Amino acid sequence: LNESLVEQDLAHATFATALCGWINTTTLETRFARGGHPNPILMSRDGAIREPLASGGLLGIFADERFEPGRVDLASGDRLFIYSDGAELIFCDDEHFDPSLWRDALRDRHAMGTDELLADLGRCIDTSAGSLDPKDDMTIVVVEAI
């Protein structure tokens, strides 16, 4: 994908990010690669949060960019949050970017079920930042290991 975008000489255009991965549904081993996209967040059943890491820059910029994969082994009750950077911006003000605030928002809701957690985040976004005029696009996908 990166090479295809580089060949199109899109340097004058906006950048692209991506995260691609697979989950072995038998072992729950999860592998992923990212190109400029935020690393996912892993929330364990007890609410502990960590960030599995993979490296890779923005797509379509550098022909020789290396994309080193990441890996995480999920356990029952774990939730893997895959999200766009707009989710981090919701909890920051215009002057200070602090991605830990997004992680804190997730941690504060760890006891909620996934549907309830996402609905509560939606209400928070609507009342604080407003969803009709967002700072950036926002997508949140949650993979829950059962």
Side-chain angles (χ1 to χ4, degrees):
L1 179 59
N2 185 61
E3 289 175 19
S4 175
L5 290 172
V6 168
E7 289 171 4
Q8 293 178 44
D9 192 26
L10 300 173
H12 63 282
T14 57
F15 61 85
T17 70
L19 188 134
C20 178
W22 62 261
I23 300 171
N24 180 319
T25 58
T26 302
T27 66
L28 299 181
E29 174 190 0
T30 304
R31 292 183 183 252
F32 64 97
R34 60 181 275 277
H37 204 75
N39 283 297
I41 293 176
L42 175 65
M43 179 189 294
S44 65
R45 179 185 296 271
D46 67 359
I49 289 191
R50 69 182 183 94
E51 188 176 317
L53 302 177
S55 64
L58 299 172
L59 297 174
I61 307 297
F62 302 109
D64 297 329
E65 183 70 38
R66 301 277 306 154
F67 299 90
E68 298 298 327
R71 174 186 170 168
V72 62
D73 294 316
L74 300 176
S76 180
D78 286 351
R79 290 183 275 187
L80 190 65
F81 291 81
I82 302 163
Y83 59 95
S84 62
D85 61 347
E88 293 174 323
L89 293 174
I90 289 297
F91 298 94
C92 299
D93 61 34
D94 291 334
E95 297 177 16
H96 301 96
F97 176 71
D98 184 356
S100 70
L101 298 174
W102 157 239
R103 287 158 187 75
D104 290 345
L106 291 177
R107 188 177 296 109
D108 292 346
R109 293 166 173 81
H110 85 273
M112 295 178 179
T114 301
D115 289 343
E116 182 184 6
L117 183 148
L118 290 173
D120 194 59
L121 283 175
R123 284 188 294 276
C124 178
I125 291 164
D126 284 344
T127 58
S128 63
S131 58
L132 297 178
D133 189 23
K135 298 177 186 179
D136 197 355
D137 65 296
M138 183 177 58
T139 301
I140 304 170
V141 176
V142 183
V143 176
E144 186 170 2
I146 52 174

